[in-house]
Amino acid sequence: MIPWHVAIIMDGNGRWAIKQSLPRVFGHKRGMETVKTIIQVAKSIGIKILTLYAFSTENWKRPKIEIDSLLSLLIQFLQDETSKFIKTGIRLRILGDLSKFPQYIRNELNKICKLMSKNTPHFELNIALNYGARQELVHAFKEMLKHGIDDPTEQTISSFLYTAGQPDPDLVIRTSGEFRISNFLLWQIAYSEIYVTSKLWPDFTENDLKAAISEFQKRERRFGGVNINNK
Ligand code: FPP
């Protein structure tokens, strides 16, 4: 029972760098290497959708130098990986409000998403960028109003989120030991299992992902009901 959709709050890059007496940016750089590994492992073990929280609406409060280097790492990552992603059937979706990004970044992201949109998706990669779940909900409600929808159902709301058409995450993983959701996918994780590891994101390995999945496999998911076998 491999979770179909896994979402990850990649935390601890800064602490990892500080532990090595390096500037925080080096933590993000190492974090990017972890991203590459975890995408390949997730795909090979049969996860179908991987959502990575790369930049939150709150991350603009960080020093400009850190924001700039995070964004350039992300673009570098996408440029380096696009042809591999196309060859191996990975489809990319960006979750978030891109209007705050410089035009060249938006162009680059649109170009890359378009190239991958032709892929038959064997694996979908969502990267949350300038993402905040409350902002996502406000955006969805405004879009519904524009479409004249004044009596939405849960399905209608889901269909206006950035994750429209995708099943909700089965498993949310957070690294670096913090027990917080940090404005991540609030609507979509209503019934997700949550797994927190003390590992910092740059130290998160294939085995750590497998440990999270095996913990998930032990959980009894009742979705608010009861397990009739235990009654
Ligand atoms: C949290 O660590 C991590 C981030 C804010 C950014 C995550 C970005 C990457 C892993 C690199 C590039 C991403 C992709 C998708 C290629 P933190 O800086 O908050 O760590 P701290 O809590 O220890 O300070």
Side-chain angles (χ1 to χ4, degrees):
M1 199 197 27
I2 297 294
W4 190 274
H5 184 171
V6 175
I8 308 185
I9 303 174
M10 309 179 288
D11 197 12
N13 292 350
R15 271 164 283 173
W16 182 89
I18 287 160
K19 267 173 74 181
Q20 332 276 322
S21 309
L22 291 168
R24 294 174 57 81
V25 168
F26 282 80
H28 298 313
K29 218 164 169 198
R30 262 304 276 271
M32 184 177 82
E33 296 308 316
T34 306
V35 166
K36 290 182 188 167
T37 308
I38 293 305
I39 292 171
Q40 293 317 318
V41 175
K43 188 167 179 285
S44 72
I45 60 185
I47 290 167
K48 299 294 181 195
I49 306 175
L50 180 68
T51 299
L52 300 176
Y53 202 2
F55 194 92
S56 76
T57 45
E58 288 71 35
N59 286 156
W60 295 106
K61 294 178 201 149
R62 294 187 178 211
K64 185 169 177 329
I65 186 165
E66 186 174 343
I67 296 174
D68 289 347
S69 72
L70 259 174
L71 295 181
S72 64
L73 269 179
L74 185 87
I75 295 294
Q76 185 200 325
F77 161 82
L78 291 172
Q79 286 169 341
D80 292 352
E81 302 292 302
T82 299
S83 59
K84 199 199 299 164
F85 285 178
I86 292 172
K87 268 192 229 127
T88 55
I90 295 182
R91 191 180 271 193
L92 174 71
R93 189 189 296 209
I94 304 291
L95 316 181
D97 173 14
L98 294 188
S99 67
K100 260 198 122 184
F101 291 108
Q103 190 62 43
Y104 79 94
I105 291 197
R106 282 192 273 162
N107 291 347
E108 199 59 37
L109 291 171
N110 286 336
K111 193 175 86 194
I112 292 168
C113 286
K114 222 173 183 177
L115 280 170
M116 289 192 220
S117 67
K118 297 186 187 98
N119 272 356
T120 312
H122 297 301
F123 181 84
E124 292 185 77
L125 173 66
N126 294 333
I127 299 185
L129 262 191
N130 190 27
Y131 175 87
R134 289 182 173 181
Q135 179 278 331
E136 176 182 40
L137 285 164
V138 170
H139 172 262
F141 295 143
K142 285 185 175 165
E143 286 297 308
M144 284 188 285
L145 286 174
K146 274 194 217 157
H147 285 75
I149 297 165
D150 55 12
D151 187 19
T153 62
E154 291 187 10
Q155 283 73 18
T156 323
I157 295 171
S158 294
S159 73
F160 279 88
L161 299 177
Y162 299 124
T163 49
Q166 296 179 333
D168 291 337
D170 303 289
L171 172 64
V172 176
I173 299 172
R174 180 164 189 147
T175 59
S176 95
E178 313 280 0
F179 287 79
R180 275 195 294 277
I181 287 300
S182 301
N183 203 11
F184 189 45
L185 304 173
L186 295 181
W187 177 273
Q188 296 91 329
I189 62 170
Y191 285 103
S192 306
E193 295 297 324
I194 298 180
Y195 178 87
V196 176
T197 167
S198 60
K199 278 279 182 88
L200 305 175
W201 178 250
D203 291 330
F204 191 80
T205 61
E206 169 170 359
N207 283 343
D208 294 316
L209 179 62
K210 289 182 173 161
I213 291 170
S214 81
E215 166 72 28
F216 167 83
Q217 288 167 336
K218 289 183 208 136
R219 305 259 179 104
E220 184 199 318
R221 301 187 78 195
R222 295 197 300 270
F223 299 95
V226 289
N227 184 343
I228 45 171
N229 298 322
N230 290 345
K231 282 199 91 190

